[in-house]
Amino acid sequence: IGITVFPDDPCLPEDLLKHADLAMYRAKDQGRNAVAFYSHEMNAQAQHRLQLEAELRHALERAEFTLEFQPKIDLATHRITGVEALLRWQRDGQAVAPPDVFIPVLEDTGLILPVGRWVLEQAARQVVAWCRAGLPWVRVAVNLSARQLRQGGLVEVVAEVLEAAGLPSAQLELELTESMLMDGGAVTDTLSALSALGLQL
């Protein structure tokens, strides 16, 4: 529930409704089963989020995303056994945005689907490029979002990415959160099909 109070928040009726709506979204962010009162900083936060969303809609075409690769090291042998691909966003002339700022916006807007595919493609190409440069094969881990998992066609996307890059399926690992497994049925079928491709989950 989102609440705004008149005359404490004096404005036109349509503004009161807009403010109550902003408060409702704040309540949803707090776990849905909540009540939130409108405050003036909510306007600033809403404007900031709209700005982020607008910029993210063009970030792929502007080549503002990059991947960083965090090594996974076997402590016994001190050898790199794999890498984890981490998405970074470098806005024009600004500092790198923290993932906890932009990943939720990608999720909420559905932009995580094209960006997630881009991450898979870039990660696969990079591992193949390292191998062609004479380095041993390493497994690359990519975080999968709940939206990607629920969206139809994920298995086909992964298969296309592996084939296009020439990456053996055993060299790809998809990382999932435990909460993704709560959906049952369709999610289980998708995970089984992904596992059948030969990649790691």
Side-chain angles (χ1 to χ4, degrees):
I1 299 172
I3 300 171
T4 188
V5 179
F6 181 87
D8 296 345
D9 185 24
C11 52
L12 298 170
E14 54 267 24
D15 292 330
L16 285 169
L17 288 172
K18 184 175 74 173
H19 292 174
D21 200 41
L22 285 172
M24 180 193 64
Y25 280 105
R26 170 62 60 85
K28 285 184 177 181
D29 288 343
Q30 294 171 348
R32 294 189 175 268
N33 190 17
V35 174
F37 282 84
Y38 171 79
S39 65
H40 291 293
E41 56 266 13
M42 286 181 187
N43 254 343
Q45 291 167 351
Q47 291 299 325
H48 176 67
R49 184 180 167 94
L50 285 173
Q51 179 68 28
L52 274 180
E53 186 178 325
E55 291 181 30
L56 282 166
R57 290 194 181 280
H58 302 288
L60 259 184
E61 64 195 49
R62 293 176 182 155
E64 293 177 348
F65 290 120
T66 57
L67 289 185
E68 289 182 358
F69 294 90
Q70 178 173 289
K72 295 181 177 183
I73 299 173
D74 183 327
L75 294 179
T77 64
H78 303 288
R79 298 185 65 172
I80 294 175
T81 58
V83 293
E84 181 176 3
L86 303 171
L87 180 64
R88 298 294 180 252
W89 180 32
Q90 174 76 58
R91 289 186 278 177
D92 187 32
Q94 298 186 44
V96 175
D100 62 339
V101 168
F102 69 89
I103 297 288
V105 180
L106 291 176
E107 287 268 10
D108 291 346
T109 59
L111 292 169
I112 196 69
L113 298 175
V115 172
R117 180 178 182 129
W118 179 88
V119 170
L120 282 168
E121 290 170 346
Q122 296 303 309
R125 286 184 193 141
Q126 184 60 68
V127 172
V128 171
W130 285 332
C131 184
R132 288 178 180 160
L135 296 173
W137 281 111
V138 292
R139 182 180 294 154
V140 62
V142 175
N143 290 305
L144 199 65
S145 82
R147 194 159 203 161
Q148 285 174 286
L149 189 58
R150 290 188 198 108
Q151 190 78 15
L154 177 63
V155 177
E156 292 78 12
V157 166
V158 171
E160 288 170 15
V161 166
L162 291 171
E163 184 178 353
L167 182 71
S169 59
Q171 302 311 125
L172 177 63
E173 178 180 308
L174 297 180
E175 295 191 348
L176 315 158
T177 62
E178 292 84 354
S179 62
M180 292 184 189
L181 305 178
M182 301 298 283
D183 288 350
V187 167
T188 303
D189 293 344
T190 300
L191 293 178
S192 296
L194 287 169
S195 186
L197 288 178
L199 51 85
Q200 300 295 308
L201 298 172

